[in-house]
Amino acid sequence: MNYARIIGTGSHLPERVLSNADLEKMVDTSDEWIVTRTGIRERHIAANGEGVVDLALQAATHALQAAEVAADSIDLIIFATTTPDRVFPSSACLLQQKLGATQCAAFDIQAVCTGFLYALGTAEKFIRSGSHKRALVIGAEVFSRLVDWNDRGTCVLFGDGAGAVVLEASEEPGIYSSHLYADGQYSNSLTVNSYVAQGQLQGESQFTRMQGGEVFKAAVNNMASSALEALRSNEFNASDLDWVIPHQANTRIIQAVSKKLKLPQEKVISTVAMHGNTSAASVPLALDTAVRDGRVQPEQHLLLTAMGGGFTWGSALLRF
Ligand code: UT7
């Protein structure tokens, strides 16, 4: 078995929708500014008491149903999140228990908005090594909990949600390759600078702080460069792609990336208008949306790409 192949996708969004009109009542902003500068029209917000594992459980259940496999056939769970329900145990362990997936390894990955790409790349390597056969890979966030609802520069951007895929060992591709990067010198450009000690939350800020312009430029350059590397290393041209599924942070970022790849907008999946930036959930949510509405079809070639806090970034090229 040489490849890891996606055999099912799923996603879930919390019920409550927060529109731009709602935000106009909360901070000094306008629907016109938000739509023009970001493309976002609405986002979903988890209810009080609704945790990231609750969202992930729904997404995972849909992915397992789509794959037509049972939870106890999963031998690996990798859960990408920045907003775990507990400091420990991991969200992956909490999800494992809820799913009844008793025969597996389970751990979390923290790479903020690139988390799903990191989790997918890690699961792919477990499967390619032959040590594991069937993995559940999750990207899920309740990012609204890290948002300062008085900061108009960030609160209009983020939302909550979950996406999941089931990966299985296969002789046919599958994921061709994944390309992951990080540069910690930008740790202060996008951060929640706090930690728990002596029973207290400590540090500079408990909310997301972002240097928007710097993150914007890095997102365009890093997503494009890793995407081009993924194409080059598999001797693919951009024209060979059926779809690009980028991290959903801002329509202008998505447009700039597709321009650098010389790809028409029609080949780019964009769900940012309806979901906002859901961090690690963004790529699997967009993927599942496009699978369920029929745009993404079996055997098509997809390029996934993301960039987030760290900075972290990466791309994966795959045959669906
Ligand atoms: O997932 C990876 C992490 N996130 C991202 O990739 C996001 C990357 N950054 C961005 O998407 C953009 O930088 C933003 C959408 C955050 C901001 O867009 P921008 O075009 O870079 O705007 P700006 O920060 O330069 O602000 C322009 C103006 C400022 O007013 P002045 O100083 O020109 O008078 C802001 O105060 O827009 C103002 N502004 C707002 N106005 C109305 C900032 N936020 C808002 C708002 N409503 N919500």
Side-chain angles (χ1 to χ4, degrees), residues 241-297:
L241 295 173
D242 293 291
W243 299 105
V244 174
I245 306 183
H247 173 47
Q248 308 287 317
N250 184 319
T251 299
R252 290 186 296 138
I253 294 176
I254 293 172
Q255 286 166 346
V257 171
S258 63
K259 199 168 161 199
K260 277 186 178 270
L261 299 180
K262 300 192 174 69
L263 265 177
Q265 279 304 302
E266 298 74 55
K267 283 198 168 187
V268 181
I269 305 289
S270 180
T271 56
V272 68
M274 311 308 287
H275 301 164
N277 182 348
T278 56
S279 185
S282 135
V283 169
L285 250 174
L287 169 63
D288 185 56
T289 302
V291 168
R292 284 173 195 269
D293 68 22
R295 278 177 289 175
V296 168
Q297 292 289 327

Side-chain angles (χ1 to χ4, degrees), residues 28-30 33-34 37-38 113 152-153 156-158 190 210 212-213 215-216 219 247 249-250 252-253 277 307-308:
D28 180 15
T29 191
S30 65
W33 190 96
I34 302 171
R37 306 310 294 166
T38 74
C113 302
R152 69 175 185 172
V156 302
L157 303 175
F158 295 98
L190 178 54
M210 177 173 71
V215 176
F216 188 109
H247 173 47
N250 184 319
R252 290 186 296 138
I253 294 176
N277 182 348
M307 139 86 197

Side-chain angles (χ1 to χ4, degrees), residues 168-210:
E168 189 175 70
S170 161
E171 277 165 20
E172 303 285 319
I175 298 175
Y176 292 108
S177 65
S178 59
H179 305 262
L180 303 173
Y181 290 96
D183 189 346
Q185 72 174 305
Y186 295 101
S187 54
N188 289 325
S189 304
L190 178 54
T191 183
V192 177
N193 191 351
S194 63
Y195 58 98
V196 179
Q198 279 83 45
Q200 304 278 336
L201 206 49
Q202 317 231 359
E204 268 174 30
S205 172
Q206 294 150 27
F207 297 115
T208 300
R209 299 293 178 222
M210 177 173 71

Side-chain angles (χ1 to χ4, degrees), residues 25-149:
K25 294 177 202 135
M26 295 161 63
V27 286
D28 180 15
T29 191
S30 65
D31 175 60
E32 196 267 335
W33 190 96
I34 302 171
V35 172
T36 315
R37 306 310 294 166
T38 74
I40 300 168
R41 293 185 182 276
E42 59 187 35
R43 66 291 286 144
H44 291 246
I45 305 291
N48 287 339
E50 192 174 30
V52 77
V53 176
D54 296 322
L55 303 184
L57 177 62
Q58 299 295 327
T61 302
H62 294 147
L64 291 166
Q65 281 166 354
E68 298 180 350
V69 300
D72 63 6
S73 71
I74 296 292
D75 57 13
L76 175 68
I77 298 177
I78 308 184
F79 194 130
T81 188
T82 320
T83 50
D85 290 344
R86 302 190 194 182
V87 173
F88 69 84
S90 68
S91 302
C93 287
L94 299 175
L95 178 67
Q96 179 199 29
Q97 189 270 329
K98 284 186 191 245
L99 277 173
T102 50
Q103 303 296 319
C104 64
F107 62 92
D108 285 6
I109 278 191
Q110 216 290 48
V112 205
C113 302
T114 319
F116 180 76
L117 266 292
Y118 267 70
L120 190 75
T122 306
E124 178 222 346
K125 283 160 187 62
F126 269 77
I127 288 176
R128 274 191 185 237
S129 78
S131 68
H132 291 71
K133 297 267 177 290
R134 192 176 280 167
L136 179 63
V137 182
I138 308 280
E141 302 278 14
V142 283
F143 210 88
S144 61
R145 308 236 160 103
L146 299 179
V147 166
D148 178 353
W149 291 101

